[in-house]
Amino acid sequence: MKKILATAVLMMFVLVGCDGRETTSAPTPTDPTPQATLVSISVTPSNPTIMVGATQQFIAIGAYSDSTTQNLTVSATWSSPDTGKATISSGGLATAVTTGLVTITATSGSVSGTATLTVVTVTSPPAPYTAPSGWSLSQVTTDGASIITTGSNVSGATAIAFNSDGTIKWQKSEPGTYGKSKATGDYTYVTRTYQTGIDYNSSTSIEKINNLTGEIVSTVVVGTQTDPNGAAASYLGSFATSTNAVYVAGSDGNGSTIKISKLDLSLTNKTFLLGYKSSDLRDMGTVERSTSFGNYFYSISSGSIDAYTLDGVYFGYTLALPGAEFVNTLHKGNVQYVSGLQAGTAYVWVYKDGDLQNSFPLGTGSAEGMDFGPDGEMYVAISGGVGPVRIDHTTGTIAWTGTTAGHSVAYLNGKIYVATGGNKIEVFDAISGGKIN
């Protein structure tokens, strides 16, 4: 009897479960979450230099479509196209075999990233702040930690960064010629003019370089020159940086007119501002004005100064001084300092709102690059004479004069760094003017 009752109860449960009124349907399967795909691979360091027999560990970082990154150093496939110059292990460790350049590649699936390894033979450590033989360093700037210099060699444009002890952090070469350079925060902005085709066709670009690795983060063409008889590119590519923008110049198609463009600091947004009616533009800068005009940027040629609002509206013009030639410009607050020469003498002229306030004679030669120290003192590079020169920026009183002609100067941590046009940066004590190297 109990067995019959249990069987009946079980049948009732089966019937209830089959009528569909008291059962719960199984959940509907959902689409799986899309897998992020690998977009790019960056290999660091991007341009290291090592000696024959030394090793260099490379790191591969993958960037994915969901904006995440992953270290692929172990999983990537590493390769060297010339194992006679350098070999590479499965974990990204390169071993230098003989001198030369080698492209190191890290590959994951169909995505690859590369770095350039330079192998050199050095019998003794290079002298501090010294570039390879044949390099000419004409510009120097600092990001507060490193000394970044630009110049040229037989292959084209060069850039090299030195640590505070004078050792090389990174170095790079590109086709063309580097012009003005300025370190701002973690990056250095530099202009480069390079040939793009036959008949002397050339372009001028502004490049943003990572101060830590030497990698070019972004580059934008700002001018072209198609006339072989047009203006020379030596003064093109001048630029100025403000707190949130870069103003940069490049020639138009025939080199007779300079185009000035405004870009944000990421170089992703370019606005054409104006055509500067001179092919002799030397330098540009920005001034913080306390007047109702607000801030402005200005450009100098060998014989004049032009001032524009930050949106490119012209509002001032200053005639050159008789016999004077302007070379570089710098500002402090709403005061503009212009370097150059007059009658064979190096000068710094002081302007405020377009009016000449003072002039400081600095000896034989031409005043070129300028920089300020922490106490408001000014340091000026002198070409065709001796320098640098330390002066009081309000009176022009000379505190000391160095022993080296130069084109560009930078202050960092009590030292003055001078680019002389050779392959060595000369270093002076900022207080005494004594030569350190």
Side-chain angles (χ1 to χ4, degrees):
M1 182 65 183
K2 292 181 179 179
K3 184 175 180 180
I4 295 174
L5 181 60
T7 301
V9 171
L10 178 60
M11 291 179 64
M12 290 177 62
F13 274 110
V14 171
L15 291 173
V16 170
C18 292
D19 66 8
R21 290 176 296 172
E22 299 184 30
T23 60
T24 301
S25 301
T28 302
T30 59
D31 294 332
T33 302
Q35 292 291 323
T37 57
L38 180 62
V39 176
S40 64
I41 297 176
S42 62
V43 180
T44 57
S46 59
N47 290 278
T49 299
I50 61 176
M51 294 182 293
V52 172
T55 60
Q56 173 66 59
Q57 177 64 56
F58 288 94
I59 304 297
I61 301 297
Y64 288 81
S65 57
D66 61 356
S67 300
T68 61
T69 59
Q70 183 177 342
N71 191 326
L72 304 178
T73 304
V74 176
S75 61
T77 300
W78 295 90
S79 61
S80 166
D82 191 346
T83 56
K85 292 179 180 177
T87 61
I88 187 79
S89 73
S90 59
L93 182 66
T95 301
V97 179
T98 188
T99 59
L101 298 178
V102 184
T103 299
I104 301 298
T105 303
T107 303
S108 180
S110 61
V111 181
S112 298
T114 63
T116 300
L117 176 64
T118 302
V119 181
V120 297
T121 299
V122 180
T123 56
S124 60
Y129 304 105
T130 302
S133 177
W135 285 37
S136 175
L137 306 178
S138 57
Q139 293 286 314
V140 59
T141 184
T142 176
D143 61 357
S146 306
I147 301 298
I148 299 102
T149 67
T150 54
S152 62
N153 62 14
V154 293
S155 300
T158 62
I160 186 168
F162 296 102
N163 296 304
S164 59
D165 61 357
T167 57
I168 296 175
K169 176 181 288 188
W170 53 259
Q171 64 187 52
K172 63 189 292 94
S173 296
E174 294 186 88
T177 303
Y178 278 137
K180 299 292 183 179
S181 61
K182 177 65 176 177
T184 301
D186 296 330
Y187 302 96
T188 292
Y189 295 88
V190 62
T191 58
R192 181 169 66 96
T193 300
Y194 50 95
Q195 187 170 330
T196 56
I198 61 175
D199 298 330
Y200 302 96
N201 292 353
S202 64
S203 292
T204 299
S205 66
I206 180 76
E207 296 180 347
K208 181 179 180 181
I209 299 176
N210 186 305
N211 291 340
L212 183 62
T213 64
E215 177 186 5
I216 297 176
V217 177
S218 54
T219 180
V220 175
V221 174
V222 294
T224 59
Q225 180 178 320
T226 57
D227 182 358
N229 299 313
S234 57
Y235 295 132
L236 306 187
S238 297
F239 73 98
T241 56
S242 66
T243 55
N244 58 6
V246 179
Y247 298 85
V248 59
S251 72
D252 67 359
N254 60 18
S256 62
T257 302
I258 304 298
K259 297 197 308 181
I260 297 179
S261 299
K262 177 181 179 181
L263 302 94
D264 57 31
L265 295 184
S266 66
L267 304 188
T268 57
N269 184 23
K270 181 176 72 170
T271 303
F272 173 71
L273 293 184
L274 52 92
Y276 182 88
K277 301 300 182 181
S278 170
S279 60
D280 191 30
L281 190 152
R282 298 290 183 90
D283 198 12
M284 293 199 295
T286 57
V287 161
E288 302 163 4
R289 292 177 54 119
S290 58
T291 68
S292 59
F293 289 106
N295 296 344
Y296 67 92
F297 77 90
Y298 53 88
S299 59
I300 65 170
S301 65
S302 61
S304 64
I305 303 172
D306 288 278
Y308 302 86
T309 69
L310 297 188
D311 291 324
V313 178
Y314 171 81
F315 72 88
Y317 176 76
T318 300
L319 292 175
L321 302 172
E325 181 177 347
F326 297 149
V327 177
N328 274 296
T329 186
L330 186 67
H331 81 276
K332 190 174 184 64
N334 63 344
V335 178
Q336 176 189 0
Y337 297 84
V338 179
S339 64
L341 73 156
Q342 186 177 33
T345 299
Y347 272 91
V348 169
W349 294 280
V350 184
Y351 287 87
K352 184 176 182 181
D353 296 332
D355 296 325
L356 181 64
Q357 305 293 309
N358 214 334
S359 59
F360 306 145
L362 304 178
T364 302
S366 174
E368 295 200 9
M370 300 170 284
D371 199 13
F372 287 107
D375 298 321
E377 74 277 17
M378 176 182 283
Y379 301 92
V380 186
I382 307 293
S383 67
V386 292
V389 177
R390 171 175 169 158
I391 64 174
D392 184 297
H393 77 281
T394 59
T395 65
T397 301
I398 297 176
W400 54 258
T401 299
T403 58
T404 302
H407 303 287
S408 180
V409 64
Y411 172 92
L412 177 63
N413 297 333
K415 297 177 182 178
I416 305 303
Y417 299 85
V418 181
T420 64
N423 71 322
K424 183 179 181 180
I425 296 296
E426 303 290 353
V427 187
F428 295 83
D429 182 89
I431 301 300
S432 66
K435 196 168 182 294
I436 296 175
N437 67 338

